[in-house]
Amino acid sequence: MKKLISLIICVVLCVPVCVRAAEKPVTGAESFVLYCPQNGSVILSENAQKRMKPASTTKLMTTLLTLEAAKADNRTVTFTREMAAEGSSMYLKFGEKVRLSDLAAGMMMCSGNDAANAAAIAIGKTPEGFAKLMNKRAKQIGMERTRFVTPSGLDDDNHYTTAYDLALLMAAGLDNPDFRALTSRKSVSVSFAEPKDKIVSYNNHNKLLRLDSRCIGGKTGYTTAAGRCLVSAAEKDGVTLICVTLNDKNDWDDHTALYDYGFSALSAYSPGKVQTEIPCVGGEGDSVTAACQNTATLILNPDENKRVKQVIIADAFLYAPVKKGSTVGSVEYRLDGRLLKKYKLTAQNEIKIQKVKTGFWQKIKEFFNYG
């Protein structure tokens, strides 16, 4: 049966204003990357694969693992002497009790090294045990040039990563709803399990949440050896970007400038819901409703966005029976003839075979012709 390209339409559901991309910014970072997690592309970078000290951006991994553990069992953790740490803190006292999710908040908001140590020991039994979990997850994410030693990010010669790897880590965090919600908060109030009347509000050190309305989260970091480190994420008009700067004295302004460039260079094409009718022969219904509902946003440049073609491919007609959910065609998105994405079209309704009513004389005829 010949295939029929039943519908070819140039559809632009998101029509951006065609503007010139902002000039490529010059940063003060020793290493940086501007990354789009939606298509896995690097928009701008410099020394993105250089081994660097991550400082407290390490806590992106510690927070992610802590929130995953809390989702399975948000147990109460008692703060002990072995969990104490120097540097930034959520100021836990020995004997106080908080939940795992509260420790995640202490890490993400005020970069608490005490919170990171407490979570690491509660989950991994020891900091070394937790480091194994961190490195295992890093490998799963694709962080090929990363090795974690401490849960907090305090300097260690064997504790290192790259700007690109941190971008992958932030992308993995955004895929976790609990992480995404926490990293976007400007402050969090923690109600202690012990003492029961203690409630502390912690402000997020990530000032970019207040400076740039596009920012949806991230993590700061600093040590004398690492310098100022910042991982952030931003969204605008359907486009998501992640920016990482390492050893950058001008990180807030650099992130804003990099986002200005990235959002001017990219545009989101959202296919939306696709639906068409395909005639059906020999069934109780005349047609099958074919649809594709789970389509992903395509990230292009503004000029490309306007040239995307939607092509629906299906048979001229179908034969009954047709089961609901069965594949009955496909929809393709093409740019200048090049295939960008292809999705299945599935039947949204069931068509049963039409039963033919048998008359009296037909029944008599069939009876005498039996055998």
Side-chain angles (χ1 to χ4, degrees), residues 16 36 83 116 151 155 195 264 310 329 360-361 364 371:
C36 178
M83 299 172 179
D155 293 327
S264 70
Q310 181 194 81
F360 174 77
W361 293 111
I364 294 295

Side-chain angles (χ1 to χ4, degrees), residues 53-370:
K53 293 181 181 296
S56 284
T57 61
T58 298
K59 295 187 180 81
L60 290 168
M61 176 64 83
T62 308
T63 299
L64 179 59
L65 293 179
T66 300
L67 288 173
E68 289 175 344
K71 188 173 182 61
D73 178 17
N74 195 16
R75 60 189 183 274
T76 298
V77 178
T78 301
F79 190 68
T80 62
R81 292 187 181 278
E82 64 178 339
M83 299 172 179
E86 61 181 3
S88 55
S89 175
M90 68 179 293
Y91 301 105
L92 295 171
K93 298 178 181 178
F94 301 136
E96 290 185 333
K97 298 180 180 181
V98 292
R99 297 171 300 172
L100 281 176
S101 59
D102 297 325
L103 294 174
M107 285 181 266
M108 188 61 69
M109 295 298 110
C110 59
S111 200
N113 293 339
D114 51 355
N117 279 1
I121 292 172
I123 296 169
K125 309 302 181 185
T126 64
E128 294 77 17
F130 189 76
K132 290 182 180 179
L133 298 177
M134 298 172 76
N135 289 315
K136 179 180 179 181
R137 188 56 184 278
K139 185 176 181 179
Q140 293 171 346
I141 292 172
M143 301 171 69
E144 296 180 353
R145 292 174 172 83
T146 294
R147 186 184 180 196
F148 291 118
V149 175
T150 71
S152 62
L154 290 176
D155 293 327
D156 186 291
D157 289 341
N158 293 316
H159 186 95
Y160 53 81
T161 188
T162 68
Y164 179 74
D165 280 4
L166 285 174
L168 297 182
L169 175 56
M170 186 65 190
L174 293 178
D175 286 338
N176 181 298
D178 295 328
F179 182 101
R180 176 182 276 263
L182 178 60
T183 194
S184 67
R185 298 279 299 274
K186 294 177 182 178
S187 65
V188 173
S189 291
V190 172
S191 296
F192 283 59
E194 187 65 42
K196 292 183 171 55
D197 59 346
K198 185 174 181 178
I199 300 175
V200 180
S201 181
Y202 298 97
N203 293 324
N204 198 327
H205 286 185
N206 180 13
K207 293 181 181 179
L208 205 64
L209 287 168
R210 299 172 179 83
L211 296 173
D212 193 327
S213 61
R214 300 167 299 186
C215 183
I216 59 171
K219 184 71 190 72
T220 60
Y222 175 80
T223 65
T224 302
R228 290 178 61 89
C229 303
L230 179 61
V231 178
S232 72
E235 287 182 343
K236 181 183 178 183
D237 297 333
V239 177
T240 301
L241 295 176
I242 292 171
C243 185
V244 181
T245 53
L246 301 176
N247 191 18
D248 184 3
K249 295 179 180 179
N250 197 36
D251 48 11
W252 306 121
D253 290 340
D254 284 347
H255 277 236
T256 296
L258 285 165
Y259 285 136
D260 287 343
Y261 177 83
F263 286 123
S264 70
L266 298 178
S267 178
Y269 177 92
S270 299
K273 183 179 179 181
V274 180
Q275 184 170 302
T276 188
E277 298 291 325
I278 304 175
C280 188
V281 177
E284 294 180 352
D286 295 330
S287 65
V288 174
T289 300
C292 176
Q293 297 172 319
N294 298 319
T295 53
T297 298
L298 303 177
I299 304 301
L300 309 165
N301 68 48
D303 290 335
E304 290 175 334
N305 194 310
K306 297 186 292 183
R307 302 200 307 273
V308 174
K309 290 184 178 180
Q310 181 194 81
V311 182
I312 294 179
I313 302 175
D315 291 328
F317 58 87
L318 300 170
Y319 287 103
V322 178
K323 292 184 178 181
K324 183 178 180 179
S326 60
T327 300
V328 293
S330 62
V331 58
E332 296 180 352
Y333 293 91
R334 293 183 171 272
L335 175 64
D336 301 333
R338 175 170 59 90
L339 180 64
L340 299 175
K341 284 287 184 180
K342 182 176 181 179
Y343 301 98
K344 293 180 180 179
L345 284 174
T346 58
Q348 303 301 297
N349 58 308
E350 181 180 6
I351 301 292
K352 296 180 180 179
I353 295 177
Q354 187 177 36
K355 295 181 179 179
V356 179
K357 295 183 179 179
T358 304
F360 174 77
W361 293 111
Q362 181 65 27
K363 290 181 179 180
I364 294 295
K365 183 179 178 180
E366 291 176 357
F367 176 79
F368 284 105
N369 288 336
Y370 178 77

